[in-house]
Amino acid sequence: MLRLVTYGVRARLSKAAALLLLAAPAQADQVHLLALGDSLTQGYGLIESEGFVPQMRAWLAERGHDVRLVNGGVSGDTTAGGLSRVEWSLTPEIEGMIVALGGNDLLRGLPPEVARENLSGILEVAEAQDVEVLLVGMSAPGNYGADYKAAFDAIYPDLAERYGTLYHPDFLGGLLEDGETPADATDLMQPDGIHPSAEGVARIVATMGPAVEELIARIEE
């Protein structure tokens, strides 16, 4: 008799557990993102946990996002380098991509039209693979002249509109007030004056984070 009663209780509990599982909301799948960039993305000069990708992962996790963010930053990479590796970097599980390239094109004074063509090629690969994109702009310094700056700065909003991507105006925008350059934010930069410190990266992440959340929202639609 005791065995029969115990069995009956277990059966009722099993049915109740099954009903609870059916009623529970489905868990969201993990979102897979790639950050395609240069040393700013890679985390040059910082310990691993202080770099852009780990800090962005932590920022997103604090807001309840289950995200795998792959560090596709290569120090010294130009837009041409990004184009050469984007296809094999977009492994099958990648659903969205942060594109943050152009800083080394600027350091080398490469023609804006070349950077535009390379970035366009990257976005075409993403489009062909049905990968959502957040395009992150770079602001040219004034030492190459007003025409160069205007031509380079226009690349990012133009391509974002053309390809229907999300757009964040400036990777270093979280550090700078209007008209400032990295030289004006020395307390947030490493000694080279080019790469942000850990605190600087934290500000960049806080500024860019909402745009990455928009990218996640597009993927989850």
Side-chain angles (χ1 to χ4, degrees):
M1 176 64 74
L2 181 58
R3 289 180 183 174
L4 290 174
V5 171
T6 302
Y7 176 80
V9 170
R10 285 178 178 172
R12 287 196 295 273
L13 287 173
S14 296
K15 288 179 181 178
L19 288 171
L20 285 171
L21 286 172
L22 289 172
Q27 295 297 311
D29 292 334
Q30 186 178 53
V31 174
H32 296 262
L33 303 178
L34 169 70
L36 185 75
D38 49 34
S39 56
L40 295 174
T41 301
Q42 181 264 334
Y44 176 89
L46 301 172
I47 64 173
E48 185 177 357
S49 62
E50 295 176 343
F52 170 77
V53 169
Q55 289 209 49
M56 181 61 79
R57 283 195 203 110
W59 190 94
L60 293 169
E62 286 173 1
R63 285 151 185 80
H65 300 289
D66 184 9
V67 175
R68 172 177 172 256
L69 179 58
V70 177
N71 192 340
V74 174
S75 187
D77 223 0
T78 61
T79 56
L83 177 59
S84 71
R85 62 191 174 88
V86 63
E87 197 155 5
W88 57 260
S89 296
L90 287 175
T91 50
E93 76 279 4
I94 298 296
E95 302 162 280
M97 178 168 58
I98 302 168
V99 178
L101 286 161
N104 288 305
D105 297 64
L106 289 172
L107 287 174
R108 300 178 190 186
L110 299 177
E113 58 270 22
V114 173
R116 179 183 286 269
E117 183 176 350
N118 292 331
L119 288 168
S120 180
I122 290 170
L123 298 182
E124 286 174 5
V125 171
E127 188 174 67
Q129 297 194 25
D130 197 26
V131 171
E132 295 286 354
V133 174
L134 168 61
L135 182 61
V136 180
M138 298 285 171
S139 182
N143 54 304
Y144 294 125
D147 290 344
Y148 183 100
K149 178 173 175 57
F152 201 98
D153 290 357
I155 293 170
Y156 300 90
D158 287 355
L159 291 181
E161 182 176 1
R162 176 180 170 188
Y163 288 94
T165 75
L166 294 168
Y167 170 59
H168 182 70
D170 191 349
F171 190 97
L172 297 173
L175 305 181
L176 311 173
E177 301 293 338
D178 289 343
E180 287 186 336
T181 68
D184 300 312
T186 53
D187 57 327
L188 298 172
M189 303 297 289
Q190 295 181 44
D192 63 10
I194 297 173
H195 299 93
S197 65
E199 183 183 350
V201 171
R203 293 202 187 186
I204 289 167
V205 165
T207 303
M208 194 189 304
V212 180
E213 288 187 300
E214 286 187 59
L215 180 63
I216 294 167
R218 278 198 177 187
I219 293 166
E220 293 179 337
E221 285 178 354

